[in-house]
Amino acid sequence: MKLRSSIAALLAVGAFVIAPTIISAQEGEPIVVDEVIAQVNDGVITLSMLKREMRERIEELKQNGMTEQQAADNVAKNQAGIIVTLINGQILLQKGKELDLADEVEAAVNRRMLEIARTQNITSMEKLEEAMKQSGIDPATIKQTMRTEMMKQAVIEREVDAKIYYGPTSDDLHKYFDAHKDQFRKPESVKLSEIFLGLAGKPEADVKARAVQIVTQARGGADFGTLAATYSERESGGVRVAVQNKGDVGLFEVPALRPDIAAAIKNLKAGGISDPLRSDEGFQIIRVDVRNPGSDVPTFNEARVREAITAERTPKEREVYLQNLRNDAYIKLADSYQDSVVPLLKVTPPKTVRAADEKKNKDKNGKP
């Protein structure tokens, strides 16, 4: 797999870092200073940040089947909402700094970079950064993107998700279970093993052909564990794990499986072997070791009840949290964005300041 696609898959982020406020110009052209759309406490949202976010959303919509014009029109209609998203992001970053999460986030960034290195069979961070540069990727930019997105995620997980998960008492959990028993019927589960063949540095056709050969051997009676120990390339800490575990990947509830894996093993009995499955990293061959039937009898499991409560309450509680942050923030919008953005901010009390009004007050009183 190419390094660029590996990084794209592992980043899993939707925003980019703040660009410099000075935009370089062609020789002989004037240098244009970036426009400030909004001041958010001691931070700013700039026009270049907005345009970058809009370009990213256009590309996402094009990948989902829209034409360039359709995507551009859709994003333009939602410009005010995008500005609110950027404001939310700025407030979350500021909150993360207040909570002193920088070291925690930096450790997570380093773990993610090492994960990228492992998928590419690269043995050190220095070699990874050199490979990134050779692929036209700036390591510093990638790291900053990760820091930005992970900081926002860390704040939400600590301030909202964790409190929802750990908040309910034992009585609360049992009351929720009694009211939602249909959610807690035991699903079918499967114990799986795999043989993984990576694509890094190899022609895809060759890897797929090898996978097909291994499937033929396994279905012909060859021991799957021995095949996994011999051929599987899944690694942990630079060590091929199948040498020790013979490809065993554990027990899974069927509804929680990756959709393509669930589909591939749907009709396989215990001992059945799937066709090769293509993923971003390579090809997987899945063996169903054990099938455990589900049950129609609701079963109380504390972790599952907490997870269900969290999933149900998270969307609303995250929005409430963001609304409270906006209510407590100082947000000053440029006039041209005021009318479209303020209604979406729903700030109470109305602290949002019109830039022109602040300037008038400053001119009149000699101070802001």
Side-chain angles (χ1 to χ4, degrees), residues 265-326:
I265 68 166
K266 182 177 180 180
N267 298 316
L268 294 180
K269 297 179 180 179
I273 312 292
S274 75
D275 290 331
L277 297 177
R278 174 72 158 83
S279 68
D280 289 338
E281 298 178 349
F283 284 90
Q284 286 175 285
I285 302 163
I286 305 295
R287 180 182 189 269
V288 177
D289 301 327
V290 178
R291 270 195 183 274
N292 300 312
S295 170
D296 287 334
V297 179
T299 304
F300 179 85
N301 178 284
E302 180 178 332
R304 287 190 62 204
V305 176
R306 289 189 184 278
E307 289 166 1
I309 292 173
T310 302
E312 179 182 297
R313 297 179 182 174
T314 289
K316 179 180 178 180
E317 292 302 318
R318 285 184 176 185
E319 183 50 45
V320 169
Y321 180 73
L322 287 170
Q323 185 64 63
N324 288 335
L325 289 181
R326 292 196 297 269

Side-chain angles (χ1 to χ4, degrees), residues 4 14 44 48 59 71 101 106 121 152 155 157 181 218 226 235 249 271 313 343 353 362 368:
R4 184 178 294 274
V44 295
S48 63
E59 289 304 314
L101 297 179
E106 193 64 26
N121 296 319
K152 292 186 288 187
V155 171
E157 288 179 350
K181 286 187 175 180
T226 301
E235 293 185 354
V249 292
R313 297 179 182 174
V353 180
K362 183 177 180 181

Side-chain angles (χ1 to χ4, degrees), residues 109-119 124-125 128:
V109 169
N110 290 334
R111 287 194 297 271
R112 186 69 63 86
M113 292 293 286
L114 288 172
E115 184 179 352
I116 294 171
R118 283 196 296 270
T119 65
S124 71
M125 192 72 77
L128 172 63

Side-chain angles (χ1 to χ4, degrees), residues 184-251:
F184 302 104
R185 302 184 191 281
K186 184 180 177 182
E188 180 185 17
S189 62
V190 286
K191 186 175 181 295
L192 303 177
S193 294
E194 71 155 7
I195 296 172
F196 170 74
L197 303 178
L199 286 169
K202 308 169 192 172
E204 180 174 337
D206 291 351
V207 178
K208 184 176 182 180
R210 170 62 67 86
V212 171
Q213 290 174 355
I214 293 172
V215 168
T216 300
Q217 289 178 266
R219 289 174 176 171
D223 180 72
F224 192 88
T226 301
L227 291 173
T230 303
Y231 297 112
S232 186
E233 299 172 355
R234 184 76 70 190
E235 293 185 354
S236 177
V239 178
R240 289 179 53 243
V241 296
V243 174
Q244 286 79 35
N245 66 16
K246 309 301 182 185
D248 180 15
V249 292
L251 184 67

Side-chain angles (χ1 to χ4, degrees), residues 48-63:
S48 63
M49 293 166 64
L50 174 60
K51 288 184 175 179
R52 188 178 297 110
E53 182 69 18
M54 292 175 73
R55 283 198 300 270
E56 282 301 304
R57 296 195 181 202
I58 288 171
E59 289 304 314
E60 290 174 7
L61 291 174
K62 286 168 60 180
Q63 291 174 11

